[in-house]
Amino acid sequence: MDEPYGGNILYVDLKEGSVKKEELKESLKKEFLGGWGIQFKLAYDLIKPGIDPLSPQNPIIYGTGILVGTSVPGATKMFAVYKAPLNGVVAPAAGGLGLAHQLKYAGYDYLVITGKSEEPVYIKIFDDDVELGDASHLWGKGIRHTTDELWKQFGHDCAVQAIGQAGENLVRFSFSLINKASTLGKGGLGALMGSKKLKAVVVKGTKGIRVANKKKFRQLINPIIENIRQWPDRERWSRQGSMYAWGSFPEITYPYKNWSELYPPGQANKLYGIKVLEKVKRSNIACPTCPIGCKFKMEAMDGEYKGLKATMAHFGGVAVFWGIRFDLQDYSRGVKLEEMANDYGLETVTTSAIIDYAIDLYERGIISDDVTEGLELMRNFETAKTLVEQITNRQGLGNILAEGWLSCIRRFGEEAEKYAFIIKGLDVLSDPRMIFNSECFEQIVNPRGGFHVVPALSPTMVPGRTPDKLMRHCNRIGVPEDRMTNIFQPELNMARFTKWIEDWYGVMNILGICFRHPIAVNYNLNTVTELFTAATGVEITARELLRFGEKINNLQRIINIREGFSRKDDSYPQKWLEEPLKLGNMEFWWKDYYMTKQYTKADVEKLIDDYYDERGWDKNGIPTKEKLKELGLPP
Ligand code: SF4
């Protein structure tokens, strides 16, 4: 089957300056289909267990989904798999905005970068013309300048993925941006590229791709496009992007003061409510084939930074991660912090969280004035701005924070560990004391750690969804009837539910379809199975396709078991059970999804057992021999 693959894997060795093109083998497609499937197989073969993530031996494995490059709405995903410099897990990052399309059109489904260059370089991939270029003039520059220069040189029709100064300086939570607006690289892809002296990847493809059954494909896509266009909240999503979730529920807020209190909803509303939209001028940026466009060019219309223009990977980041964490009040200051972080190549969520954490340790006397070199840490704009600069340039306290959470704990000791809201060395994004949903539980058991990877794919993102509604979702994603009993009786079991959400996510990532809410709600397992067959000409049942989603999740698990991860790492911040989140006189404890009972440690451990059981893993979280055999994975 050639369609709709690019047909090749491109290997670039930065040490040798050599390039090798290898045909994508039929056996790989048969056993792992594509997207995440083949990508994790490559990771299994190429990432040698125990390597230092910042060593030249750590490859970067880029991959596109099977449907990327077709007209399937939202089939836009570019994934990068690597051993993460921040926490040593082998996990995927996802981005959009045309990089995957261009790579596919150039004839490649995967790009594997190995080795380390002596001098700064960029990789140029224009169809069969692949070469390394001198990037000395770009080294030391931000992502905006780098991207603009490369566009000036090669034209605006190519995709540019670039790192900033944070990546060059090996900040362990630095990332890259695609076309200045789509993030790629949670866990430190920026640092990994920096360690390889790789400033950017520039891609342009002109070959196009074909699908096996054009007529059937078109028949399947038309109603999906129509559904997305007709979706009642489409306009609001386009206006608010990732802020939509907060803007939809004005009573919802987010923890601040290092996960100890909830920011007052009234105040929060000033940061993400409709009124904020009047303070910024926006125009949407969309990935190819996407009728939504959730990224923005924006301009602050008032406040201290009135007139500041920025391209935003995270509109929500401005409000929630900068605005709430540092009590900014003035929205334009959030725009400023986001603009700085994006340009330097600092990942917003982790950067704002680690600064918030440092302030907390300082207030508790765990970080002293000696360590901050006299800098007084306060929860405000000035402190955040100073530490963003210091982290990027590895100065003062910033040099310590740039090494990440685990290094901070080693440096500041046991007391510091108590206040770190991390899982497997990565900061959490969801707190079960607000709502215990599948995103929240997934943080505990997924190899990647704190940050959940399946946002918006589960209806439990929203509180109080009825069991009927959740069952309908299970039907959509192909959960077999006999498993439904285990998930829903005698009550909703979030652990068992999460397993199926993850497998569905695996399917979407084989295909490369965006998981953001307005896109993902328009797909179900039957639709994507039909799309797969129409695109590839290969007959497959929905059950078989979902089994591939399961296979990938198991493969990712065994890769990380090789790295030494096991049940001991499927842990969570103890404060989730020990202390409530506070809002005035109110206290919020970790309860079940329907908030009927408060959880104890035994309850959570039982859920972890249930998750392993649903997956067919042993008590230590290791896939059993029988399970691996059943999935066709190595023992
Ligand atoms: S919703 Fe956003 S991330 Fe997803 S395809 Fe559209 S523009 Fe890209």
Coordinates of all heavy atoms in Angstrom, one line a residue, residues 295-360:
K295 N -4.9 29.2 17.0 CA -3.7 30.0 17.4 C -3.9 31.4 16.9 O -4.7 31.6 16.0 CB -2.4 29.3 16.8 CG -2.3 27.9 17.3 CD -1.3 27.1 16.5 CE -1.5 25.6 16.7 NZ -1.8 25.1 18.0
F296 N -3.1 32.3 17.5 CA -3.5 33.7 17.2 C -2.2 34.6 17.0 O -1.2 34.4 17.5 CB -4.2 34.3 18.4 CG -5.4 33.6 18.8 CD1 -5.4 32.6 19.7 CD2 -6.6 34.0 18.2 CE1 -6.6 32.0 20.1 CE2 -7.8 33.4 18.5 CZ -7.8 32.3 19.5
K297 N -2.5 35.6 16.1 CA -1.6 36.8 16.2 C -2.4 37.8 17.0 O -3.6 38.0 16.8 CB -1.4 37.4 14.8 CG -0.4 36.7 13.9 CD -0.2 37.4 12.6 CE 0.7 36.6 11.7 NZ 0.5 36.9 10.4
M298 N -1.7 38.4 18.0 CA -2.5 39.3 18.8 C -1.8 40.6 19.1 O -0.6 40.6 19.0 CB -3.0 38.6 20.1 CG -1.9 38.0 21.0 SD -2.6 36.8 22.1 CE -3.6 37.8 23.2
E299 N -2.6 41.6 19.5 CA -2.0 42.9 19.9 C -2.7 43.4 21.1 O -3.9 43.4 21.1 CB -2.2 43.8 18.7 CG -1.6 45.2 19.0 CD -1.9 46.1 17.8 OE1 -2.1 45.7 16.7 OE2 -1.8 47.4 18.1
A300 N -1.9 43.7 22.1 CA -2.5 44.3 23.4 C -3.1 45.7 23.1 O -2.4 46.5 22.5 CB -1.5 44.4 24.5
M301 N -4.4 45.9 23.4 CA -5.0 47.1 23.1 C -5.0 48.2 24.2 O -5.4 49.3 24.0 CB -6.5 46.9 22.7 CG -6.6 45.9 21.5 SD -5.8 46.6 20.0 CE -6.9 47.8 19.5
D302 N -4.6 47.7 25.4 CA -4.4 48.7 26.5 C -3.4 48.1 27.5 O -2.8 47.1 27.3 CB -5.8 49.1 27.2 CG -6.4 47.9 28.0 OD1 -5.8 46.8 28.0 OD2 -7.4 48.1 28.6
G303 N -3.2 48.8 28.6 CA -2.3 48.3 29.6 C -0.9 48.8 29.3 O -0.6 49.5 28.4
E304 N 0.0 48.3 30.2 CA 1.4 48.7 30.2 C 2.1 48.4 28.8 O 2.9 49.1 28.3 CB 2.2 48.0 31.3 CG 3.6 48.4 31.4 CD 4.4 47.6 32.5 OE1 3.7 47.0 33.4 OE2 5.6 47.7 32.5
Y305 N 1.7 47.3 28.2 CA 2.3 46.9 26.9 C 1.3 47.1 25.7 O 1.4 46.4 24.8 CB 2.8 45.5 27.0 CG 4.0 45.3 27.9 CD1 3.8 45.0 29.3 CD2 5.3 45.6 27.4 CE1 4.9 45.0 30.1 CE2 6.4 45.6 28.3 CZ 6.2 45.2 29.6 OH 7.3 45.2 30.5
K306 N 0.5 48.2 25.8 CA -0.4 48.5 24.7 C 0.4 48.6 23.4 O 1.5 49.2 23.4 CB -1.0 49.9 25.1 CG -2.1 50.3 24.1 CD -2.7 51.6 24.4 CE -3.6 52.1 23.3 NZ -4.2 53.4 23.6
G307 N -0.1 47.9 22.4 CA 0.5 48.0 21.1 C 1.5 46.8 20.9 O 1.9 46.6 19.7
L308 N 1.8 46.0 21.9 CA 2.7 44.9 21.8 C 2.0 43.8 20.9 O 0.9 43.4 21.2 CB 3.1 44.3 23.1 CG 4.0 43.1 23.1 CD1 5.4 43.5 22.6 CD2 4.1 42.4 24.4
K309 N 2.7 43.4 19.9 CA 2.2 42.4 19.0 C 2.9 41.1 19.3 O 4.1 41.1 19.5 CB 2.4 42.8 17.5 CG 1.5 43.9 17.1 CD 1.8 44.2 15.7 CE 0.9 45.4 15.3 NZ 1.4 46.1 14.1
A310 N 2.2 40.0 19.2 CA 2.8 38.7 19.5 C 2.0 37.6 18.8 O 0.8 37.7 18.5 CB 2.9 38.4 21.0
T311 N 2.8 36.5 18.4 CA 2.1 35.4 17.9 C 2.0 34.4 19.0 O 2.9 34.1 19.7 CB 2.9 34.7 16.7 OG1 3.2 35.7 15.8 CG2 2.2 33.6 16.1
M312 N 0.8 33.9 19.2 CA 0.5 33.1 20.5 C 0.3 31.6 20.2 O -0.6 31.3 19.5 CB -0.7 33.6 21.2 CG -0.6 35.0 21.8 SD 0.5 34.9 23.2 CE 1.3 36.5 23.0
A313 N 1.2 30.8 20.8 CA 0.9 29.4 20.8 C -0.2 29.1 21.8 O -1.0 28.2 21.6 CB 2.1 28.7 21.2
H314 N -0.3 29.9 22.9 CA -1.2 29.6 24.0 C -1.9 31.0 24.3 O -1.4 31.8 25.0 CB -0.6 29.2 25.3 CG -0.1 27.8 25.2 ND1 -0.9 26.8 25.1 CD2 1.2 27.3 25.4 CE1 -0.2 25.6 25.2 NE2 1.0 25.9 25.3
F315 N -3.1 31.1 23.8 CA -3.9 32.3 24.3 C -4.2 32.1 25.8 O -4.2 33.0 26.6 CB -5.2 32.3 23.4 CG -6.0 33.6 23.6 CD1 -5.4 34.8 24.1 CD2 -7.3 33.7 23.1 CE1 -6.1 35.9 24.2 CE2 -8.0 34.9 23.2 CZ -7.4 36.0 23.7
G316 N -4.6 30.8 26.1 CA -4.9 30.5 27.5 C -3.7 30.7 28.4 O -3.8 31.0 29.6
G317 N -2.5 30.5 27.8 CA -1.3 30.6 28.6 C -1.2 32.0 29.2 O -0.7 32.2 30.3
V318 N -1.6 33.0 28.4 CA -1.5 34.4 28.9 C -2.3 34.6 30.1 O -1.9 35.2 31.1 CB -2.0 35.3 27.7 CG1 -2.1 36.8 28.2 CG2 -1.2 35.2 26.5
A319 N -3.5 34.0 30.1 CA -4.5 34.3 31.2 C -4.2 33.3 32.4 O -4.0 33.8 33.5 CB -5.9 34.0 30.7
V320 N -4.1 32.1 32.1 CA -4.1 31.1 33.2 C -2.7 30.9 33.8 O -2.5 31.0 35.0 CB -4.6 29.7 32.7 CG1 -4.6 28.7 33.8 CG2 -6.1 29.9 32.2
F321 N -1.7 30.7 32.9 CA -0.4 30.3 33.5 C 0.4 31.6 33.9 O 1.1 31.5 34.9 CB 0.4 29.4 32.5 CG -0.4 28.2 32.2 CD1 -1.0 27.9 30.9 CD2 -0.7 27.3 33.2 CE1 -1.7 26.8 30.7 CE2 -1.5 26.2 33.0 CZ -2.0 25.9 31.7
W322 N 0.3 32.6 33.1 CA 1.0 33.9 33.5 C 0.1 34.7 34.4 O 0.4 35.1 35.5 CB 1.5 34.7 32.3 CG 2.4 34.0 31.4 CD1 2.2 33.6 30.1 CD2 3.7 33.5 31.8 NE1 3.3 33.0 29.6 CE2 4.3 32.9 30.6 CE3 4.5 33.5 32.9 CZ2 5.6 32.3 30.6 CZ3 5.8 33.0 32.9 CH2 6.3 32.4 31.7
G323 N -1.2 35.0 33.9 CA -2.1 35.9 34.6 C -2.4 35.5 36.0 O -2.3 36.2 37.0
I324 N -2.8 34.2 36.2 CA -3.2 33.7 37.5 C -2.0 33.5 38.4 O -2.0 33.9 39.5 CB -4.1 32.5 37.3 CG1 -5.5 32.9 36.8 CG2 -4.2 31.7 38.6 CD1 -6.5 31.8 36.7
R325 N -1.0 32.8 37.8 CA 0.1 32.4 38.7 C 0.8 33.6 39.3 O 1.3 33.5 40.4 CB 1.1 31.5 37.9 CG 0.6 30.1 37.8 CD 1.5 29.1 37.2 NE 1.0 27.8 37.5 CZ 1.1 26.7 36.7 NH1 1.8 26.9 35.5 NH2 0.7 25.6 37.0
F326 N 0.8 34.7 38.5 CA 1.6 35.9 39.0 C 0.7 37.1 39.3 O 1.1 38.2 39.3 CB 2.7 36.2 38.0 CG 3.6 35.0 37.8 CD1 3.6 34.2 36.7 CD2 4.4 34.5 38.9 CE1 4.3 33.0 36.5 CE2 5.1 33.3 38.8 CZ 5.1 32.6 37.6
D327 N -0.6 36.7 39.4 CA -1.6 37.8 39.8 C -1.4 39.1 39.0 O -1.3 40.1 39.6 CB -1.4 38.0 41.3 CG -2.6 38.6 41.9 OD1 -3.7 38.6 41.3 OD2 -2.5 39.1 43.1
L328 N -1.4 38.9 37.7 CA -0.9 40.1 36.8 C -1.9 41.2 36.8 O -1.5 42.4 36.6 CB -0.6 39.6 35.4 CG 0.5 38.6 35.3 CD1 0.8 38.3 33.8 CD2 1.8 39.2 35.9
Q329 N -3.2 41.0 36.8 CA -4.2 42.0 36.7 C -4.2 42.7 35.3 O -5.2 42.7 34.6 CB -4.0 43.1 37.8 CG -3.9 42.6 39.2 CD -5.3 42.1 39.7 OE1 -6.3 42.6 39.4 NE2 -5.2 41.1 40.6
D330 N -3.1 43.2 34.9 CA -3.0 43.8 33.6 C -2.7 42.7 32.5 O -1.6 42.1 32.5 CB -1.8 44.8 33.6 CG -1.5 45.5 32.3 OD1 -2.1 45.0 31.2 OD2 -0.7 46.4 32.2
Y331 N -3.7 42.5 31.6 CA -3.6 41.4 30.6 C -2.4 41.6 29.7 O -1.7 40.6 29.3 CB -4.9 41.4 29.8 CG -5.0 40.1 29.0 CD1 -5.5 39.0 29.6 CD2 -4.7 40.1 27.7 CE1 -5.7 37.8 28.9 CE2 -4.8 38.9 27.0 CZ -5.3 37.8 27.6 OH -5.4 36.6 26.9
S332 N -2.0 42.9 29.4 CA -0.9 43.1 28.5 C 0.4 42.6 29.0 O 1.3 42.2 28.3 CB -0.8 44.6 28.1 OG -0.2 45.3 29.1
R333 N 0.5 42.5 30.4 CA 1.7 41.9 30.9 C 1.8 40.4 30.7 O 2.9 39.9 30.5 CB 1.7 42.2 32.4 CG 1.9 43.7 32.8 CD 1.9 43.9 34.2 NE 2.6 45.1 34.6 CZ 3.0 45.4 35.8 NH1 2.6 44.7 36.9 NH2 3.6 46.5 36.1
G334 N 0.7 39.8 30.6 CA 0.6 38.4 30.3 C 1.1 38.2 28.8 O 1.8 37.3 28.5
V335 N 0.6 39.1 28.0 CA 1.0 39.0 26.6 C 2.6 39.2 26.5 O 3.2 38.5 25.7 CB 0.3 40.2 25.7 CG1 0.8 40.1 24.3 CG2 -1.2 40.0 25.7
K336 N 3.1 40.1 27.3 CA 4.5 40.3 27.3 C 5.3 39.1 27.7 O 6.3 38.6 27.0 CB 4.9 41.5 28.2 CG 6.4 41.8 28.4 CD 7.0 42.3 27.1 CE 8.5 42.5 27.2 NZ 9.1 42.6 25.9
L337 N 4.9 38.4 28.8 CA 5.6 37.2 29.3 C 5.5 36.1 28.2 O 6.4 35.4 28.0 CB 5.0 36.8 30.6 CG 5.3 37.7 31.8 CD1 4.5 37.3 33.0 CD2 6.8 37.7 32.1
E338 N 4.3 36.0 27.6 CA 4.1 34.9 26.6 C 5.0 35.2 25.4 O 5.6 34.3 24.9 CB 2.6 34.8 26.3 CG 2.3 33.7 25.3 CD 2.3 32.3 25.9 OE1 2.7 32.1 27.1 OE2 1.9 31.3 25.2
E339 N 5.0 36.4 25.0 CA 5.9 36.8 23.9 C 7.3 36.5 24.2 O 8.1 36.0 23.3 CB 5.6 38.3 23.6 CG 6.3 38.8 22.4 CD 7.4 39.8 22.8 OE1 7.6 40.1 24.0 OE2 8.1 40.3 21.9
M340 N 7.8 36.9 25.4 CA 9.2 36.6 25.7 C 9.5 35.1 25.7 O 10.5 34.6 25.1 CB 9.5 37.1 27.1 CG 9.6 38.6 27.2 SD 9.7 39.1 29.0 CE 11.3 38.4 29.5
A341 N 8.6 34.3 26.4 CA 8.9 32.9 26.5 C 8.9 32.2 25.2 O 9.7 31.4 24.9 CB 7.8 32.3 27.4
N342 N 7.9 32.6 24.3 CA 7.8 32.0 23.0 C 9.1 32.3 22.2 O 9.6 31.4 21.5 CB 6.6 32.5 22.2 CG 5.3 31.8 22.6 OD1 5.4 30.8 23.3 ND2 4.2 32.3 22.2
D343 N 9.5 33.5 22.3 CA 10.7 33.9 21.5 C 12.0 33.2 22.0 O 12.8 32.7 21.2 CB 10.9 35.4 21.5 CG 11.8 35.9 20.4 OD1 11.7 35.3 19.3 OD2 12.6 36.8 20.6
Y344 N 12.1 33.1 23.3 CA 13.3 32.4 23.9 C 13.2 30.9 23.7 O 14.2 30.2 23.8 CB 13.4 32.7 25.4 CG 13.7 34.1 25.7 CD1 13.3 34.7 26.9 CD2 14.5 34.9 24.9 CE1 13.6 36.0 27.3 CE2 14.8 36.3 25.2 CZ 14.3 36.8 26.4 OH 14.6 38.1 26.8
G345 N 12.0 30.4 23.5 CA 11.8 29.0 23.4 C 11.6 28.3 24.8 O 12.1 27.2 25.0
L346 N 10.9 29.0 25.7 CA 10.6 28.4 27.0 C 9.2 27.9 27.0 O 8.3 28.7 26.6 CB 10.8 29.4 28.1 CG 12.2 29.8 28.5 CD1 12.1 30.8 29.6 CD2 12.9 28.5 29.1
E347 N 8.9 26.7 27.4 CA 7.6 26.2 27.4 C 6.8 26.8 28.5 O 7.2 26.8 29.7 CB 7.7 24.7 27.6 CG 6.4 23.9 27.1 CD 5.4 23.8 28.2 OE1 5.8 23.5 29.4 OE2 4.3 24.1 28.0
T348 N 5.7 27.5 28.2 CA 4.9 28.3 29.1 C 4.5 27.6 30.4 O 4.6 28.1 31.5 CB 3.6 28.8 28.4 OG1 4.0 29.7 27.3 CG2 2.7 29.6 29.3
V349 N 3.9 26.4 30.2 CA 3.3 25.8 31.4 C 4.3 25.4 32.4 O 4.2 25.8 33.6 CB 2.4 24.5 31.0 CG1 1.7 24.0 32.2 CG2 1.5 24.9 29.8
T350 N 5.4 24.8 32.0 CA 6.4 24.4 32.9 C 7.2 25.6 33.5 O 7.5 25.7 34.7 CB 7.4 23.4 32.3 OG1 6.7 22.2 31.9 CG2 8.5 23.0 33.2
T351 N 7.5 26.5 32.6 CA 8.2 27.7 33.0 C 7.5 28.5 34.1 O 8.0 28.8 35.2 CB 8.5 28.7 31.9 OG1 9.2 27.9 30.8 CG2 9.4 29.8 32.3
S352 N 6.2 28.7 33.9 CA 5.4 29.5 34.9 C 5.3 28.7 36.1 O 5.3 29.2 37.2 CB 4.0 29.9 34.3 OG 3.3 28.7 33.9
A353 N 5.1 27.3 36.0 CA 5.0 26.5 37.2 C 6.2 26.5 38.0 O 6.2 26.5 39.3 CB 4.6 25.1 36.8
I354 N 7.4 26.4 37.4 CA 8.6 26.3 38.2 C 9.0 27.6 38.8 O 9.5 27.6 39.9 CB 9.8 25.7 37.3 CG1 10.8 24.9 38.2 CG2 10.5 26.7 36.5 CD1 11.7 24.0 37.5
I355 N 8.6 28.7 38.2 CA 8.8 30.0 38.9 C 7.9 30.1 40.1 O 8.3 30.6 41.2 CB 8.6 31.2 37.9 CG1 9.7 31.1 36.8 CG2 8.6 32.5 38.6 CD1 9.4 32.1 35.6
D356 N 6.6 29.7 39.9 CA 5.7 29.7 41.0 C 6.2 28.9 42.2 O 6.1 29.3 43.3 CB 4.3 29.2 40.4 CG 3.2 29.2 41.4 OD1 3.2 30.0 42.4 OD2 2.2 28.5 41.2
Y357 N 6.7 27.7 41.8 CA 7.3 26.8 42.8 C 8.5 27.5 43.6 O 8.6 27.4 44.8 CB 7.8 25.6 42.1 CG 8.6 24.6 42.9 CD1 8.1 23.9 43.9 CD2 9.9 24.2 42.4 CE1 8.8 22.9 44.6 CE2 10.6 23.3 43.1 CZ 10.1 22.6 44.2 OH 10.8 21.7 44.8
A358 N 9.4 28.1 42.8 CA 10.5 28.8 43.4 C 10.1 29.9 44.4 O 10.6 30.1 45.5 CB 11.4 29.4 42.3
I359 N 9.0 30.6 44.0 CA 8.5 31.7 44.9 C 8.0 31.1 46.2 O 8.2 31.6 47.3 CB 7.4 32.5 44.2 CG1 8.0 33.3 43.0 CG2 6.7 33.5 45.1 CD1 6.9 33.9 42.0
D360 N 7.3 29.9 46.0 CA 6.8 29.2 47.2 C 7.9 28.8 48.1 O 7.9 29.0 49.4 CB 6.0 28.0 46.8 CG 5.1 27.4 47.9 OD1 4.8 28.1 48.9 OD2 4.8 26.2 47.8

